[in-house]
């Protein structure tokens, strides 16, 4: 009887495990044998299928779970039907790979949700390209709205794609995993193309279409992202790897058999041949970049998603330590990186070089050491002590070992003893003083800016002027922790004092109060007094920005709190607002009405630091790390320092490369507001 019960229990447990087992699915769209009447050239998408199926088989994807929708089946309706079948067949915790090989096209945005005015689309089998007179009309911008409507109907837009991804993520649940590979032109925010391009036709628009002014007010930011890129706790993680920026063409290459195929598909197949255990999507992408840089050097693949630091196909998340990306290898002993003085890379700062994919430098051996020999606010040139033998920027991760900020020494003192407070002994004071003297940015003479406070379990560094806690450290005698805290405060001071003026590159920024869930410009008048905004705890605001100049600009906004913490307003990847979405055309006004910012402690005077540049930058990485800030959950959500300016490793960069302040040209200025406790 006991044996029978045990056996039955084992059967039951096995049945439950079988029901809940993670399954792998794949959906491959391969559209290359386009009908001649449609006007789209034939491309080598069929060649991609064998490569991807072989790659998936090696990763444990069952053949019967890999569905291929090719050519005449892949009409717009056929694409929709394939998604419906996929969504109905998956279960919780499952892994899904979607691979698209097709032409790509930009089409006039049809719901005012695109910063650049274009929807990125998959060119389905029955999508029609303008011919004859209509083709000429498109080139001249004179295509009638009626003819446009006939042509655009069978293009599969990024909004539609995103809606299906949203439903798929919901069906998989929060333990599921979705991976999308886009091997088409203009794929960097959507959704292929001397070499054959997978796309490359003029944008499909109509007479009178104006991509520069999508809305004068109430502008929404990248609306399709709410479908494909949400961060809801009940949704599966997602990763999207695109062959090219939204503004770029995607070129075919040749496979090992000298037959044409997609460049991204080729890179994927080669990377998976030598995949190491524990590889994350971030590392996978770095390896894909390296191969594509050799095959199609003028092309910039893109990575986006919220599962970048998850190991492949439903694996665990890793604790990726902050690193800086390499933009260019100047010569074997010199590199240019995408971070500068704002990130502590002033001349003299020291770094260590590791192979891409390094998660924790303390557990790895550096390939080389380096020192900064030239620096701007946004970039730094680093001289290496030895040749690494790495030939591609994407093969390197740079970790800062000794940051250096060019600011005046910060005066540090000890908090005076008060009733109920703890005090350091003479011996402890001597040891802390000795530790402080070793730090280059510290002075012990003068009126203190920072105070060291003895605590029960850990010590605290506070702001002398207002008593706010800046950060906690295990003990003030811990030189490494002390140095890290001082460096973060030095970064804060550097940003606080920075002001740059360029009369040709400016933008007006306002904080508009939110009343009943909507921005209320009338209420703003009551909050504004003598160039300063006045808010109380719990107030909600939205950002209003107008480009007052004659050039298109990009806007980044940081919030410098009175407790020394650096907060980020724009961009904000967790709110689905990426650097490429922050382009504002001359005269354009945008209200970010999908992004509510709740204001909360600390109370006092705060500074919004507004960066207006002519080229895309990303300052989100300057936000103070969560572990150091005591997050209140208000004022937006911060990212860890994953690199001051990066094109693709942290979020979806769908625009030009980040450039230095000299190349960017622009202005940096302040907006002041006070926050008080609610009475």
């Amino acid at each position: 009887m006991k044996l029978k019960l045990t056996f039955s229990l084992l059967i039951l447990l096995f049945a439950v495990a079988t029901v809940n087992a993670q399954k792998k699915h794949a959906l491959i769209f391969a559209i290359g044998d386009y009908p001649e009447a449609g006007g789209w050239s034939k491309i080598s998408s069929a060649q991609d299928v064998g490569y991807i199926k072989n790659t998936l088989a090696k990763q444990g994807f069952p053949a019967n779970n890999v569905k291929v929708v090719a050519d005449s089946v892949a009409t717009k309706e056929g694409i929709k039907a394939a998604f419906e079948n996929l969504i109905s067949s998956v279960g919780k915790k499952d892994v899904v790979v979607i691979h698209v090989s097709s032409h790509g096209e930009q089409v006039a945005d049809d719901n005012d949700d695109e910063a650049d005015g274009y929807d990125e689309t998959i060119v389905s089998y029955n999508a029609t390209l303008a011919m004859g007179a209509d083709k000429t009309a498109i080139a001249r911008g004179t295509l009638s709205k009626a003819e446009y409507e006939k042509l655009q109907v069978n293009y599969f837009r990024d909004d539609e794609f995103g809606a299906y991804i949203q439903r798929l993520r919901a069906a998989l649940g929060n333990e599921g995993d979705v991976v999308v590979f886009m091997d088409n032109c203009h794929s960097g925010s959507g959704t292929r193309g001397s070499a054959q391009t997978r796309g490359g036709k003029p944008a499909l628009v109509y007479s009178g279409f104006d991509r520069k002014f999508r809305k004068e007010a109430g502008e929404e930011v990248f609306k399709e992202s709410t479908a494909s890129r949400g961060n809801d706790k009940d949704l599966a993680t997602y990763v999207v790897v695109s062959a090219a920026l939204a503004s770029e063409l995607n070129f075919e290459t040749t496979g090992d058999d000298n037959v044409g195929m997609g460049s991204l598909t080729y890179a994927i197949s080669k990377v998976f041949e030598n995949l190491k255990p524990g590889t994350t999507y971030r590392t996978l992408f770095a390896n894909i970049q390296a191969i594509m840089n050799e095959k199609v050097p003028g092309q910039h693949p893109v990575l986006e998603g919220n599962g970048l630091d998850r190991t492949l196909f439903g694996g665990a998340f890793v604790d990726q330590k902050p690193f800086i990306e390499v933009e260019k290898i100047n010569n074997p002993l010199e590199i240019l990186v995408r971070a500068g003085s704002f990130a502590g890379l002033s001349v003299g700062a020291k770094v260590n070089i590791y192979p891409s994919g390094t998660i924790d430098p303390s557990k790895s051996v550096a390939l080389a050491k380096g020192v900064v020999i030239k620096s701007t606010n946004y970039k730094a040139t680093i001289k290496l002590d030895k040749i690494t033998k790495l030939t591609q920027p994407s093969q390197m991760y740079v970790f800062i070992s000794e940051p250096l900020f060019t600011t005046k020494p910060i005066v540090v003192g000890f908090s005076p003893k008060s009733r109920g407070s703890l005090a350091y002994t003479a011996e402890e004071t001597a040891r802390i003083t000795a530790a402080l003297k070793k730090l280059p940015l510290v002075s012990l003479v003068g009126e203190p800016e920072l105070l060291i406070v003895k605590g029960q379990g850990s010590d605290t560094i506070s702001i002398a002027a207002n008593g706010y806690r800046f950060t906690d450290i295990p003990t003030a005698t811990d030189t490494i922790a002390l140095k890290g805290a001082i460096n973060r405060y030095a970064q804060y001071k550097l940003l606080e004092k920075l002001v740059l003026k360029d009369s040709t590159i400016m933008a007006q920024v306002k904080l508009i109060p939110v009343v009943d869930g909507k921005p209320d410009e009338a209420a703003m008048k009551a909050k504004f007094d003598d160039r300063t905004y006045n808010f109380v705890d719990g107030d909600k605001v939205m950002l209003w920005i107008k480009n007052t100049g004659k050039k298109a600009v990009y806007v980044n906004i940081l919030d410098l709190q009175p407790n020394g913490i650096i907060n980020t307003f724009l961009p904000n990847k967790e709110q689905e607002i990426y650097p490429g979405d922050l382009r504002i055309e001359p005269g354009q006004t945008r209200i970010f009405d999908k992004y509510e910012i709740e204001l909360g402690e600390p109370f006092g005077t705060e500074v919004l630091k507004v960066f207006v540049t002519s080229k895309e930058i990303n300052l989100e990485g300057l936000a103070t790390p969560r572990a150091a800030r005591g997050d209140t959950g208000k004022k937006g959500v911060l990212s860890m320092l994953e690199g001051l300016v990066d094109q693709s490793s942290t979020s979806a960069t769908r625009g030009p490369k980040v450039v230095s302040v000299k190349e960017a040209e622009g202005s940096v200025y302040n907006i002041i507001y006070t926050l008080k406790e609610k009475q």
Side-chain angles (χ1 to χ4, degrees):
M1 185 68 178
K2 184 177 180 180
L3 179 63
K4 183 178 180 180
L5 179 62
T6 303
F7 183 67
S8 299
L9 182 60
L10 287 173
I11 292 176
L12 178 61
L13 290 174
F14 177 77
V16 172
T18 300
V19 170
N20 294 329
Q22 182 187 69
K23 297 179 181 178
K24 295 180 177 179
H25 310 259
L27 180 57
I28 302 172
F29 294 103
I31 318 170
D33 190 21
Y34 287 91
E36 186 175 345
W40 285 98
S41 62
K42 298 182 186 298
I43 53 176
S44 307
S45 298
Q47 181 76 356
D48 295 359
V49 174
Y51 278 80
I52 292 301
K53 290 180 72 173
N54 183 53
T55 297
L56 292 172
K58 292 178 180 178
Q59 297 302 314
F61 283 74
N64 60 341
N65 280 3
V66 178
K67 309 299 181 183
V68 178
V69 181
D71 295 329
S72 60
V73 180
T75 61
K76 185 172 181 178
E77 293 306 314
I79 293 173
K80 290 181 176 181
F83 270 115
E84 294 290 350
N85 291 334
L86 174 65
I87 292 169
S88 66
S89 66
V90 301
K92 299 297 183 182
K93 304 181 183 181
D94 285 358
V95 175
V96 175
V97 170
I98 297 171
H99 186 95
V100 179
S101 293
S102 72
H103 276 302
E105 171 70 318
Q106 290 184 307
V107 178
D109 176 24
D110 63 351
N111 60 356
D112 295 344
D113 69 343
E114 294 280 3
D116 65 357
Y118 297 135
D119 277 331
E120 279 67 52
T121 72
I122 294 172
V123 180
S124 70
Y125 181 80
N126 59 338
T128 303
L129 183 66
M131 308 290 280
D134 286 342
K135 183 178 180 180
T136 303
I138 288 180
R140 294 177 177 175
T142 59
L143 184 71
S144 70
K145 186 69 180 293
E147 289 303 312
Y148 162 81
E149 292 295 346
K150 293 178 183 178
L151 293 172
Q152 65 85 31
V153 67
N154 287 318
Y155 289 87
F156 190 66
R157 294 176 182 262
D158 49 11
D159 305 81
E160 299 170 285
F161 192 106
Y164 279 115
I165 296 299
Q166 173 81 344
R167 290 175 54 196
L168 179 59
R169 292 176 63 204
L172 296 173
N174 59 12
E175 293 184 61
D177 194 7
V178 179
V179 189
V180 181
F181 296 110
M182 304 295 297
D183 205 345
N184 54 358
C185 281
H186 312 299
S187 59
S189 72
T191 17
R192 183 167 119 130
S194 85
Q196 175 74 36
T197 59
R198 295 185 167 188
K201 303 300 181 182
L204 179 56
V205 299
Y206 49 86
S207 177
F209 170 76
D210 187 348
R211 59 178 291 231
K212 295 182 178 179
F213 298 95
R214 306 308 303 140
K215 277 188 177 181
E216 283 297 323
E219 181 88 23
E220 295 177 343
V221 180
F222 197 46
K223 187 174 181 179
E224 73 269 21
S225 69
T226 60
S228 63
R229 301 168 177 82
N231 54 11
D232 192 300
K233 64 180 180 180
D234 296 325
L235 301 181
T237 57
Y238 76 96
V239 170
V240 181
V241 178
S242 304
L245 295 169
S247 57
E248 287 184 336
L249 303 184
N250 173 32
F251 292 87
E252 291 196 345
T253 186
T254 54
D256 296 337
D257 51 5
N258 289 320
V259 176
M261 65 179 298
S263 53
L264 176 61
T265 302
Y266 176 81
I268 292 168
S269 67
K270 300 307 288 186
V271 168
F272 276 95
E273 287 180 2
N274 300 292
L275 203 63
K276 296 180 181 179
T279 295
T280 65
Y281 289 111
R282 191 188 299 278
T283 303
L284 175 73
F285 180 73
N287 293 333
I288 288 173
Q289 273 185 304
I291 293 174
M292 291 190 70
N293 284 344
E294 294 179 352
K295 281 287 189 176
V296 283
Q299 205 167 297
H300 301 90
V302 178
L303 173 69
E304 58 183 317
N306 61 6
L308 308 190
D309 293 316
R310 191 176 187 180
T311 52
L312 301 185
F313 306 134
F317 278 87
V318 303
D319 181 18
Q320 176 66 58
K321 301 303 181 184
F323 67 93
I324 305 296
E325 284 192 312
V326 177
E327 179 171 301
K328 183 181 179 182
I329 300 176
N330 294 336
N331 61 59
L333 287 173
E334 186 179 288
I335 59 175
L336 177 68
V337 299
R338 293 188 177 119
S341 59
F342 290 167
L345 290 180
S346 298
V347 174
K350 297 179 181 180
V351 303
N352 291 327
I353 313 300
Y354 293 82
S356 60
T358 299
I359 295 169
D360 185 346
S362 68
K363 299 178 181 178
S364 304
V365 178
L367 301 175
K369 295 181 179 181
V371 62
V372 176
I373 59 173
K374 183 180 178 181
S375 180
T376 68
N377 290 331
Y378 303 95
K379 297 244 183 127
T381 301
I382 297 172
K383 184 178 181 179
L384 307 182
D385 66 344
K386 64 175 70 172
I387 297 174
T388 66
K389 296 183 180 181
L390 299 178
T391 60
Q392 298 289 343
S394 60
Q395 295 174 318
M396 297 181 180
Y397 279 3
V398 177
F399 292 86
I400 303 176
S401 57
E402 294 185 26
L404 183 62
F405 295 92
T406 52
T407 185
K408 293 181 180 180
I410 297 163
V411 181
V412 180
F414 293 88
S415 177
K417 188 180 184 317
S418 60
R419 181 177 297 179
S421 68
L422 301 176
Y424 291 107
T425 65
E427 182 182 352
E428 288 173 327
T429 301
R431 281 192 286 129
I432 296 170
T433 301
L436 289 170
K437 288 181 177 179
K438 296 178 181 179
L439 304 181
L441 285 177
V442 170
S443 172
L444 300 174
V445 179
E447 189 71 23
E449 288 185 71
L450 296 178
L451 294 174
I452 298 176
V453 184
K454 184 177 178 63
Q456 292 282 4
S458 60
D459 292 346
T460 296
I461 297 178
S462 64
I463 309 296
N466 53 32
Y468 278 126
R469 165 196 172 277
F470 173 59
T471 191
D472 293 332
I473 55 177
T475 172
T477 58
D478 185 336
T479 305
I480 295 177
L482 194 58
K483 184 176 181 179
I486 298 298
N487 279 332
R488 286 199 304 276
Y489 187 74
Q491 182 182 47
Y492 176 92
K493 297 298 291 184
L494 179 68
L495 290 169
E496 183 182 47
K497 296 177 181 179
L498 179 68
V499 176
L500 298 172
K501 291 289 180 70
D502 185 329
S503 60
T504 66
I505 303 176
M506 291 290 292
Q508 185 180 4
V509 178
K510 298 178 184 179
L511 296 176
I512 300 183
V514 176
V515 179
D516 297 328
K518 297 180 179 180
D520 189 334
E521 294 191 50
M524 181 177 65
K525 296 179 181 179
K527 297 287 186 179
F528 194 72
D529 178 30
D530 193 25
R531 296 187 298 179
T532 301
Y533 289 94
N534 297 281
F535 296 106
V536 297
D537 186 24
D539 276 351
K540 295 180 180 180
V541 298
M542 290 177 179
L543 290 165
W544 177 102
I545 304 176
K546 181 176 182 178
N547 182 352
T548 57
K550 297 180 179 180
K551 300 178 181 179
V553 300
Y554 292 85
V555 178
N556 277 230
I557 301 178
L558 298 175
D559 176 34
L560 307 186
Q561 299 178 185
N563 58 354
I565 298 300
I566 303 170
N567 211 338
T568 183
F569 275 18
L570 293 176
N572 193 313
K573 69 178 181 182
E574 294 193 36
Q575 294 292 329
E576 312 298 346
I577 304 174
Y578 299 110
D581 301 320
L582 301 176
R583 178 184 171 96
I584 304 178
E585 301 293 336
Q588 184 183 14
T589 297
R590 297 179 64 181
I591 297 177
F592 292 80
D593 58 357
K594 301 302 178 185
Y595 178 25
E596 271 189 13
I597 302 169
E598 183 179 357
L599 303 176
E601 294 186 65
F603 304 124
T605 300
E606 304 201 19
V607 177
L608 287 188
K609 209 77 186 185
V610 180
F611 298 77
V612 186
T613 58
S614 62
K615 298 293 179 65
E616 179 184 321
I617 63 173
N618 180 7
L619 300 185
E620 187 177 12
L622 288 180
T624 304
R626 293 180 191 274
R629 66 189 296 268
D631 200 348
T632 63
K634 298 183 180 181
K635 292 190 179 146
V637 185
L638 298 184
S639 67
M640 297 293 285
L641 177 60
E642 296 171 333
L644 168 61
V645 282
D646 52 344
Q647 181 170 330
S648 55
S649 73
T650 60
S651 63
T653 301
R654 296 176 298 279
K657 292 182 179 179
V658 176
V659 296
S660 73
V661 70
K662 289 182 180 179
E663 294 169 315
E665 303 174 341
S667 300
V668 182
Y669 58 93
N670 300 330
I671 294 177
I672 310 297
Y673 72 94
T674 62
L675 183 66
K676 298 180 180 180
E677 192 171 359
K678 191 178 245 182
Q679 298 299 318

